[in-house]
Amino acid sequence: MEDENEVELLQRYRRDRRILLNYLLSGSLIKKVVMPPGAVSLDDVDLDQVSVDFVLNSVKKGDMLELSEAIRDYHDSTGFPHMNAESEGEFFLATNPESSGSPPRRAPPVVPFVVPSPIMPDLSSSLPFDATEEDEPAMMSKSQSINTTQGRDLTVDDIDDFEDEDDLEELASRRYSRRSLNDTADLVVGLPSFATGVNDDDLRETAYEILLAAAGASGGLIVPSKEKKKEKKSRLLKKLGRSKSEQVTAQSQQSTGLTGLLETMRVQMEISEAMDIRTRQGLLNAMAGKVGKRMDALLVPLELLSCVSRTEFSDKKAYIKWQKRQLNMLEEGLVNHPVVGFGESGCKASEMRVLLARIEESESFAPSVGELQRIECLRSLREIAIPLAERPARGDLTGEVCHWADGYHLNVRLYEKLLLSVFDVLDEGKLTEEVEEILELLKSTWRILGITETIHHTCYAWVLFRQFVMTREHALLKLAIEQLNKVPLKEERGPQERMHLKSLYSKVENEEGPQELSFLQSFLIPIQKWADKQLADYHLNFSEALAMMETVVSISMVTRRLLQEEPGSAMQHVTDGDKIESYVSSSIKSAFLRTLQDVETMSNATDEHPLALLGEETKKLLRKDAAVFIPVLSQWHSQAIVVSASLLHKLYGSKLKPFLNGVEQLTEDAVLVFPAADSFEEYVMDLIASSGGQSEVSLKKLSPYKIETISGTLVLRWVNAQLSRILGWVERAIQQERWEPVSMQQRHGSSIVEVYRIVEETIDQFFALKIPMRSGEMNSLFRGIDNAFQVYAKHVVDNLASKDDIIPPVPILTRYRRESGIKAFVKKELSDPRLPDMRKSRDINVLTTQTLCVQLNTLYYGISHLNKLEDSIWERWTKKTKQGKSINGDSKKESFDGSRKDFNAAIDRICEFTGTKIIFWDLREPFIENLYRLSVSESRLETLIEPLDVELNQLCDVIVEPLRDRIVTSLLQASLDGLVRVLLDGGPARLFIPSDAKSLEEDLEVLKEFFISGGDGLPRGVVENQVARVRQVIKLQGYETRELIDDLKSASATDRSKLGADSKTLLRILCHRCDSEASQFLKKQYKIPKSAA
């Protein structure tokens, strides 16, 4: 491939070299040009053998130029290294060191070391003043290496510095620059190579001869005069001076008619004037005496061999080369690749080869002998070749068309060279301004070459496409597509054209072995392969050329459609969608491999996990594919994004799966990898879901990573471990709690603050895990925190004493006895007021009122902050996952229901205990033991208001405002319980008469107003509701004994009380009634003993 590329570069170098030498020698830059012996004009000189350096040095010195010396210098320089006259210490190799055999045995010459002046640099190596780095590399002489970059005194780059007198201003203001061309060595048409070694120059020159013959058939062939040389020079100067960016306009000066168009073709095809004149003259001479025969029916190579003499060439070498080309064309056209088989005349092919060899051999004989043999062989050759060339084909008559170049392989190669003339010689990416006229002119060659519309469109599309690959000019690719669209499909072709195309096939050798290709396959398969290769990695090849990619996909689809109809095609069942899928799959795999390499490099430079980086980079790759490339590919495959996303999902999954199978704990690597993998998978699913069509089916085909399931299990383990840690902290906080206010403003204990701190730290750590989670992990966290607060509330109330321990036992019911006995009993009681069963409760360690208030404040702190904590958790969960959005507010508020119930239960229990403790423990003596002792009048409730007020103030000083009414209400309830206890279970020391009811009612009002406190205390309605039950008991105290007895009897018999009281209450009122009738009734009816003496 590299050898073919070098050959193409050398051929281009030769063409440019001829143009520039022709310019130098034709202008006024050289004082005088002395022709070599045998040459009349420059047309007779082979410019390929003229030394460029010799000509340039002559121009520089202003000397006369002897072309024979320039030719001699060229041949000398090809055998020896060229020495630089200005710098004797330097020399340049003319050969490739790698292929030049062993190195020289002698030592290289010593290079003198010269220190350049810092003020005056070495002028010999400096660039011309008008030269810049942007100028294109100069054309080099054969005495230099192709890769040489060293500066010289005078090179072909300096051609613009010389000015012709006639075109001074034009060339001075313009520069010539050639675009850099791409390698097309691997883009070769599927045709066999020529057995005779015919090269591109041979085909180009023969194609021009055919063009002249076709033009001569219409009478447009004339021999130009020598006077057109100056006109040619001026036109060449203008072409050399024209910028390639300059637009070509219809007003350009051109010759008119067929003559001018042929002159343009000559220049475009780089044919010398000498060859042009020889060919025209030879064809005209060949037509002499052939009346009624068309020029395009001539056997052109044979006629030129017969009508062009050796004397018309400047030297023998040029003539031998020309003759060899004509003989090769005859052999290739008539013998190697004939359109019609030889049949019985197969022996003539062997005879013809012998004659061709003898004609070539004649040049080695003496002039007289060689010329005689040549003439005889040409006569014999004509007798064999003319019948072969004029065999009928495609239905024409014998002699109407000469089929010497109609053997498919040769004719399309020649036509390809003709089509190449449509490109601008100075800018290969642009079409020349005469393109339409040229294409019309080329139709005249169809008769000779057997070209049809289909063959023309195919060949022209091939030429345009190959030129596009070489220049990357987008417009050429669009033109190629236009030509392919003009190629008719199989059913659109006529029967004759179908038969003709079916007969065109070739056998070629490739990597897969020998293969037989049809005409369209030979030209279209290389296009299809090139497009497939480019689109197989469109991420790399079209990252900055999206419009180009769309056009390449278009030509691939058009080519595929045409190839599908060819026999034996592998694409017969390949649809547009299948082709696009193959491009996407191939390019995605290549891009993913590059991403893997990039990630490996990035992971070595950073601390991030490679799989996390790969997930992020793969997502970027998919995002770019979806935004940039898929819109183009979707024109042919609507589900291209599904193919791309699914494949990338699978490729990344293959790398991720071993990691997922091995992870067992929530490690740092897992925390890094899981979010990246889940984010990529979520993006893939969103893309597929948005693609429409069969998106649900495509989603089902995906093998999900199950990141949420795996990470959820790991998170659940982590949550359980953290919850165990929280419970440990709760136990520790309770043990260290002293139930002292944190401060005057913060009247709660420090333990609840510590518990909230550890809970919030756990929640922060939970949401810091940027990994996928399910609602199950969230619910587990809620349950664990809820349980921790319940445990805390339970520990707080566990330290409370039992309510039964602080309430004295109820005395045994006794009945009234006489006053004397009562006084004796009272005296005995006063000597030891504490009963034996009451001593036990006094030895119990009971918490102080302040401690109980701090506990209440602590519990309230816990319950009041639950809402804030709960809302914060749900808000963060909603941001973290979409699932949180579907949870309604009611279910959110149920998250800590257990904690709320336990906190409230604990508060109620402590409030109740605190009220009971104040009345039955702290105020036991003045309230429970001494209130209404002996008589109501001697011990009124007013005496208890002051100690109650002290206790109430103590409560309100410590308790938080939201709990004030709750604790005061508990104190009210305990006070009423104590009053009921005194009235109904006060023991033998409490005796009441009906007249006491009024005093008791007054005391109840005092107690009620105390708790209402003029509106600053409890609400009046609350107090009234609480007092109602006591008011009923006091009302019963006002009834006469007989009424009470009758009502008790009625209640016992029918369970109905007229006074609205139960039998137990009535019984206890009678037990405390200072009345003999009551005593007798209780003795007789209930056997209740008298009070102790």
Side-chain angles (χ1 to χ4, degrees):
M1 187 179 296
E2 292 181 359
D3 294 340
E4 295 178 1
N5 189 27
E6 290 182 4
V7 170
E8 185 176 346
L9 288 174
L10 288 175
Q11 290 176 350
R12 189 182 302 123
Y13 160 71
R14 287 176 59 195
R15 292 194 298 270
D16 294 342
R17 189 176 183 275
R18 292 173 195 159
I19 295 174
L20 294 171
L21 274 175
N22 205 351
Y23 164 69
L24 288 172
L25 298 177
S26 300
S28 59
L29 300 174
I30 301 176
K31 184 176 181 181
K32 184 178 180 181
V33 179
V34 179
M35 297 293 170
V40 178
S41 66
L42 286 176
D43 297 332
D44 301 325
V45 179
D46 186 0
L47 296 180
D48 289 340
Q49 301 184 43
V50 176
S51 172
V52 176
D53 289 338
F54 190 90
V55 173
L56 291 175
N57 287 329
S58 298
V59 172
K60 181 180 178 182
K61 296 176 183 178
D63 295 342
M64 177 178 61
L65 173 63
E66 293 188 10
L67 285 180
S68 58
E69 294 295 328
I71 294 173
R72 185 180 299 108
D73 182 77
Y74 168 78
H75 289 288
D76 291 343
S77 64
T78 58
F80 303 97
H82 172 69
M83 303 303 297
N84 192 328
E86 298 295 332
S87 179
E88 296 180 357
E90 300 178 358
F91 66 91
F92 305 100
L93 291 177
T95 57
N96 185 358
E98 296 179 358
S99 59
S100 300
S102 60
R105 299 181 182 276
R106 60 180 177 81
V110 179
V111 179
F113 180 75
V114 179
V115 180
S117 169
I119 300 177
M120 293 295 293
D122 185 8
L123 295 178
S124 64
S125 61
S126 63
L127 293 172
F129 292 112
D130 62 336
T132 63
E133 293 182 0
E134 288 76 9
D135 291 339
E136 293 291 331
M139 292 299 173
M140 297 166 284
S141 66
K142 286 189 177 181
S143 61
Q144 288 182 287
S145 169
I146 292 178
N147 297 323
T148 300
T149 59
Q150 222 167 333
R152 294 182 293 128
D153 286 0
L154 191 61
T155 66
V156 182
D157 271 338
D158 302 324
I159 192 68
D160 288 332
D161 294 336
F162 297 105
E163 301 169 344
D164 187 69
E165 294 178 359
D166 298 331
D167 301 282
L168 178 63
E169 295 181 359
E170 185 175 2
L171 282 181
S173 61
R174 301 190 181 189
R175 299 285 296 175
Y176 162 71
S177 175
R178 182 184 294 273
R179 68 168 71 215
S180 59
L181 303 180
N182 299 304
D183 181 21
T184 57
D186 57 343
L187 193 62
V188 181
V189 71
L191 295 175
S193 58
F194 294 109
T196 58
V198 172
N199 58 29
D200 286 345
D201 284 342
D202 295 337
L203 292 172
R204 177 173 49 81
E205 292 172 357
T206 302
Y208 183 70
E209 293 170 352
I210 293 174
L211 180 63
L212 290 180
S218 59
L221 191 63
I222 60 172
V223 179
S225 63
K226 301 286 184 179
E227 307 226 341
K228 70 178 194 173
K229 188 180 296 184
K230 184 172 181 180
E231 179 188 353
K232 178 187 82 74
K233 180 181 82 71
S234 177
R235 184 166 61 252
L236 179 61
L237 285 173
K238 291 180 180 179
K239 282 203 171 187
L240 287 173
R242 193 183 76 218
S243 170
K244 71 177 182 178
S245 62
E246 194 174 329
Q247 296 294 330
V248 179
T249 62
Q251 287 77 16
S252 301
Q253 295 180 356
Q254 295 291 339
S255 300
T256 58
L258 180 59
T259 303
L261 190 56
L262 286 176
E263 174 62 16
T264 300
M265 288 293 295
R266 184 191 68 79
V267 175
Q268 290 289 106
M269 299 183 70
E270 301 175 15
I271 303 298
S272 67
E273 286 190 0
M275 177 185 170
D276 180 39
I277 294 174
R278 280 196 303 266
T279 305
R280 291 172 184 253
Q281 191 63 57
L283 291 174
L284 290 174
N285 293 339
M287 289 300 295
K290 296 183 174 62
V291 180
K293 191 173 184 68
R294 293 169 57 91
M295 186 177 289
D296 56 3
L298 294 176
L299 184 51
V300 176
L302 179 61
E303 299 297 342
L304 291 178
L305 283 172
S306 302
C307 298
V308 178
S309 65
R310 183 183 306 164
T311 58
E312 297 184 33
F313 292 86
S314 59
D315 57 11
K316 183 178 180 180
K317 183 178 179 181
Y319 173 73
I320 293 175
K321 180 181 177 182
W322 175 85
Q323 179 179 260
K324 176 66 175 175
R325 174 171 64 82
Q326 302 295 347
L327 295 175
N328 288 340
M329 289 299 167
L330 284 173
E331 183 175 352
E332 292 292 348
L334 291 175
V335 180
N336 294 341
H337 301 291
V339 68
V340 181
F342 292 106
E344 297 179 355
S345 60
C347 59
K348 293 185 179 180
S350 300
E351 295 178 12
M352 185 172 175
R353 283 195 174 95
V354 173
L355 291 173
L356 294 175
R358 292 190 62 193
I359 293 175
E360 187 175 357
E361 182 186 23
S362 65
E363 298 300 327
S364 61
F365 299 149
S368 57
V369 177
E371 184 64 23
L372 182 60
Q373 178 174 325
R374 180 176 180 276
I375 293 173
E376 292 177 356
C377 290
L378 283 174
R379 186 181 301 110
S380 302
L381 182 62
R382 181 179 294 275
E383 295 175 356
I384 298 174
I386 294 298
L388 289 176
E390 292 185 351
R391 284 172 298 171
R394 301 196 312 276
D396 51 84
L397 302 175
T398 302
E400 182 182 351
V401 179
C402 187
H403 295 286
W404 70 272
D406 200 23
Y408 170 43
H409 306 144
L410 178 61
N411 63 1
V412 294
R413 297 268 192 167
L414 293 171
Y415 194 64
E416 178 187 2
K417 296 304 174 185
L418 291 172
L419 288 171
L420 285 172
S421 62
V422 300
F423 301 109
D424 195 323
V425 293
L426 297 182
D427 188 356
E428 292 87 346
K430 304 293 183 183
L431 295 176
T432 184
E433 58 184 339
E434 304 91 352
V435 58
E436 296 297 334
E437 293 85 349
I438 290 175
L439 291 176
E440 191 64 30
L441 177 62
L442 295 185
K443 287 185 178 181
S444 63
T445 65
W446 290 11
R447 181 183 180 89
I448 301 175
L449 299 176
I451 303 298
T452 64
E453 287 278 352
T454 300
I455 296 176
H456 164 74
H457 294 313
T458 305
C459 290
Y460 192 27
W462 161 256
V463 169
L464 289 168
F465 178 79
R466 191 172 182 276
Q467 199 74 5
F468 153 73
V469 175
M470 186 185 302
T471 62
R472 284 298 192 273
E473 186 66 39
H474 193 193
L476 295 180
L477 184 59
K478 292 183 177 179
L479 291 174
I481 295 176
E482 290 180 10
Q483 293 301 313
L484 289 177
N485 285 327
K486 293 179 182 179
V487 176
L489 296 175
K490 194 171 184 179
E491 63 273 7
E492 298 172 352
R493 302 168 195 160
Q496 185 175 357
E497 186 175 22
R498 281 202 297 268
M499 292 297 296
H500 178 56
L501 289 176
K502 188 176 181 180
S503 67
L504 305 181
Y505 65 91
S506 61
K507 294 182 180 179
V508 294
E509 293 286 340
N510 52 29
E511 298 176 354
E512 302 172 357
Q515 187 178 8
E516 187 172 290
L517 301 176
S518 66
F519 165 74
L520 287 177
Q521 287 174 334
S522 297
F523 283 86
L524 299 184
I525 286 179
I527 297 177
Q528 184 71 64
K529 286 184 176 179
W530 185 91
D532 289 348
K533 181 180 179 181
Q534 297 296 311
L535 294 171
D537 195 357
Y538 57 78
H539 290 87
L540 178 65
N541 297 324
F542 300 102
S543 59
E544 303 297 334
L546 194 60
M548 185 80 75
M549 174 184 170
E550 183 175 357
T551 314
V552 172
V553 176
S554 298
I555 199 169
S556 173
M557 295 298 107
V558 173
T559 306
R560 182 198 60 79
R561 188 184 72 248
L562 293 172
L563 288 175
Q564 272 186 326
E565 299 185 329
E566 294 303 299
S569 174
M571 299 184 181
Q572 287 183 354
H573 304 291
V574 178
T575 63
D576 288 354
D578 296 336
K579 203 67 179 174
I580 296 299
E581 283 190 19
S582 68
Y583 293 151
V584 173
S585 300
S586 177
S587 187
I588 285 291
K589 290 177 182 178
S590 300
F592 185 75
L593 287 177
R594 287 193 296 272
T595 302
L596 280 176
Q597 297 172 357
D598 295 341
V599 165
E600 184 177 356
T601 304
M602 293 166 62
S603 62
N604 294 333
T606 61
D607 295 333
E608 294 191 48
H609 195 280
L611 281 175
L613 283 174
L614 182 61
E616 295 171 0
E617 295 301 316
T618 306
K619 184 177 179 180
K620 291 179 183 177
L621 174 61
L622 181 56
R623 182 178 286 110
K624 180 178 181 181
D625 197 47
V628 178
F629 302 112
I630 293 302
V632 174
L633 300 175
S634 297
Q635 300 177 35
W636 293 272
H637 189 1
S638 60
Q639 297 297 303
I641 185 61
V642 176
V643 179
S644 175
S646 301
L647 180 57
L648 273 178
H649 183 271
K650 181 178 179 181
L651 292 173
Y652 180 69
S654 65
K655 302 296 180 182
L656 180 66
K657 187 175 181 180
F659 176 83
L660 297 180
N661 293 337
V663 65
E664 296 180 354
Q665 295 181 351
L666 199 60
T667 61
E668 184 178 351
D669 288 344
V671 172
L672 292 174
V673 173
F674 284 174
D678 184 67
S679 175
F680 170 66
E681 184 173 48
E682 184 179 353
Y683 182 64
V684 167
M685 291 184 175
D686 288 344
L687 281 180
I688 295 178
S690 63
S691 65
Q694 302 293 325
S695 58
E696 294 182 2
V697 178
S698 302
L699 287 173
K700 290 180 181 179
K701 291 181 180 179
L702 286 180
S703 299
Y705 301 152
K706 299 180 180 179
I707 298 294
E708 281 194 353
T709 303
I710 298 173
S711 66
T713 303
L714 300 181
V715 170
L716 198 57
R717 295 176 186 172
W718 179 87
V719 167
N720 292 334
Q722 294 300 311
L723 293 177
S724 300
R725 175 170 164 262
I726 291 176
L727 289 176
W729 273 95
V730 170
E731 298 282 351
R732 179 181 176 185
I734 287 292
Q735 291 174 4
Q736 295 178 351
E737 180 61 77
R738 296 295 177 262
W739 299 116
E740 296 177 355
V742 176
S743 65
M744 291 297 294
Q745 291 75 26
Q746 298 177 337
R747 290 172 279 179
H748 51 265
S750 60
S751 58
I752 190 65
V753 178
E754 185 66 17
V755 171
Y756 262 102
R757 183 187 65 80
I758 193 66
V759 167
E760 289 172 353
E761 284 183 2
T762 303
I763 293 172
D764 290 341
Q765 293 174 7
F766 176 82
F767 285 107
L769 301 173
K770 303 299 182 182
I771 60 178
M773 298 180 192
R774 300 164 298 181
S775 57
E777 290 77 59
M778 185 64 189
N779 294 332
S780 177
L781 179 66
F782 268 122
R783 287 193 299 269
I785 296 174
D786 191 39
N787 179 64
F789 283 123
Q790 291 180 53
V791 169
Y792 180 85
K794 182 177 181 298
H795 277 300
V796 172
V797 297
D798 280 350
N799 294 328
L800 289 177
S802 173
K803 184 178 178 181
D804 296 336
D805 291 340
I806 61 175
I807 297 177
V810 177
I812 297 174
L813 288 176
T814 59
R815 56 188 174 86
Y816 167 75
R817 65 174 293 176
R818 290 184 180 182
E819 187 176 352
S820 58
I822 294 174
K823 291 182 179 178
F825 173 75
V826 172
K827 290 180 180 178
K828 185 178 180 180
E829 290 293 323
L830 290 175
S831 63
D832 187 10
R834 290 185 298 166
L835 299 176
D837 56 357
M838 296 171 63
R839 295 193 183 104
K840 177 183 176 183
S841 60
R842 292 188 179 276
D843 298 331
I844 298 173
N845 182 20
V846 179
L847 298 176
T848 64
T849 300
Q850 180 175 348
T851 300
L852 292 172
C853 288
V854 172
Q855 288 182 339
L856 285 171
N857 294 342
T858 303
L859 291 171
Y860 179 77
Y861 181 93
I863 195 172
S864 63
H865 282 71
L866 277 180
N867 288 342
K868 182 179 179 182
L869 178 66
E870 193 173 38
D871 291 341
S872 173
I873 294 175
W874 281 117
E875 182 181 354
R876 295 168 74 173
W877 177 254
T878 302
K879 292 179 180 179
K880 183 178 181 63
T881 174
K882 296 179 180 179
Q883 296 174 357
K885 297 179 180 179
S886 61
I887 301 176
N888 56 44
D890 294 336
S891 59
K892 289 182 180 180
K893 295 302 178 183
E894 295 174 358
S895 305
F896 290 137
D897 273 0
S899 301
R900 289 188 178 90
K901 291 177 182 178
D902 283 11
F903 273 128
N904 280 316
I907 290 174
D908 289 342
R909 182 179 172 187
I910 294 178
C911 284
E912 182 184 5
F913 178 83
T914 302
T916 304
K917 176 251 181 190
I918 291 174
I919 299 300
F920 289 91
W921 185 268
D922 296 339
L923 300 179
R924 172 183 293 186
E925 184 175 349
F927 203 131
I928 303 302
E929 295 179 1
N930 295 329
L931 180 65
Y932 303 142
R933 189 177 180 81
L934 299 181
S935 67
V936 173
S937 59
E938 295 181 4
S939 178
R940 298 292 294 272
L941 187 64
E942 292 179 355
T943 59
L944 293 176
I945 294 302
E946 185 175 350
L948 270 176
D949 187 54
V950 173
E951 294 292 339
L952 187 59
N953 288 334
Q954 187 179 359
L955 283 176
C956 293
D957 288 342
V958 181
I959 203 71
V960 294
E961 184 66 25
L963 292 181
R964 185 181 68 89
D965 285 357
R966 291 179 70 176
I967 190 65
V968 173
T969 301
S970 297
L971 181 59
L972 170 62
Q973 290 174 346
S975 301
L976 295 175
D977 288 343
L979 184 58
V980 172
R981 165 72 179 260
V982 169
L983 294 176
L984 298 182
D985 291 305
R990 267 59 176 238
L991 294 175
F992 303 98
I993 58 178
S995 59
D996 291 336
K998 184 177 180 181
S999 298
L1000 293 175
E1001 183 69 28
E1002 291 174 355
D1003 287 349
L1004 184 61
E1005 285 296 322
V1006 170
L1007 185 64
K1008 182 184 74 172
E1009 293 300 328
F1010 171 75
F1011 281 100
I1012 294 174
S1013 187
D1016 294 333
L1018 296 175
R1020 183 173 294 275
V1022 173
V1023 177
E1024 287 289 352
N1025 291 335
Q1026 295 292 334
V1027 168
R1029 61 187 178 92
V1030 182
R1031 197 183 300 280
Q1032 180 65 23
V1033 174
I1034 293 175
K1035 184 178 180 181
L1036 292 174
Q1037 292 286 1
Y1039 286 105
E1040 295 295 332
T1041 302
R1042 175 47 53 187
E1043 292 180 284
L1044 293 174
I1045 291 174
D1046 292 343
D1047 197 51
L1048 176 60
K1049 290 178 179 180
S1050 175
S1052 300
T1054 63
D1055 290 334
R1056 291 182 180 180
S1057 173
K1058 296 179 180 180
L1059 303 179
D1062 59 273
S1063 58
K1064 290 183 180 180
T1065 302
L1066 293 172
L1067 179 61
R1068 280 168 171 73
I1069 290 176
L1070 288 173
C1071 287
H1072 291 80
R1073 178 59 63 97
C1074 183
D1075 189 286
S1076 297
E1077 184 180 4
S1079 177
Q1080 291 299 321
F1081 172 76
L1082 293 174
K1083 175 183 178 182
K1084 181 180 179 180
Q1085 201 70 23
Y1086 293 97
K1087 308 298 182 184
I1088 295 177
K1090 291 182 179 181
S1091 58

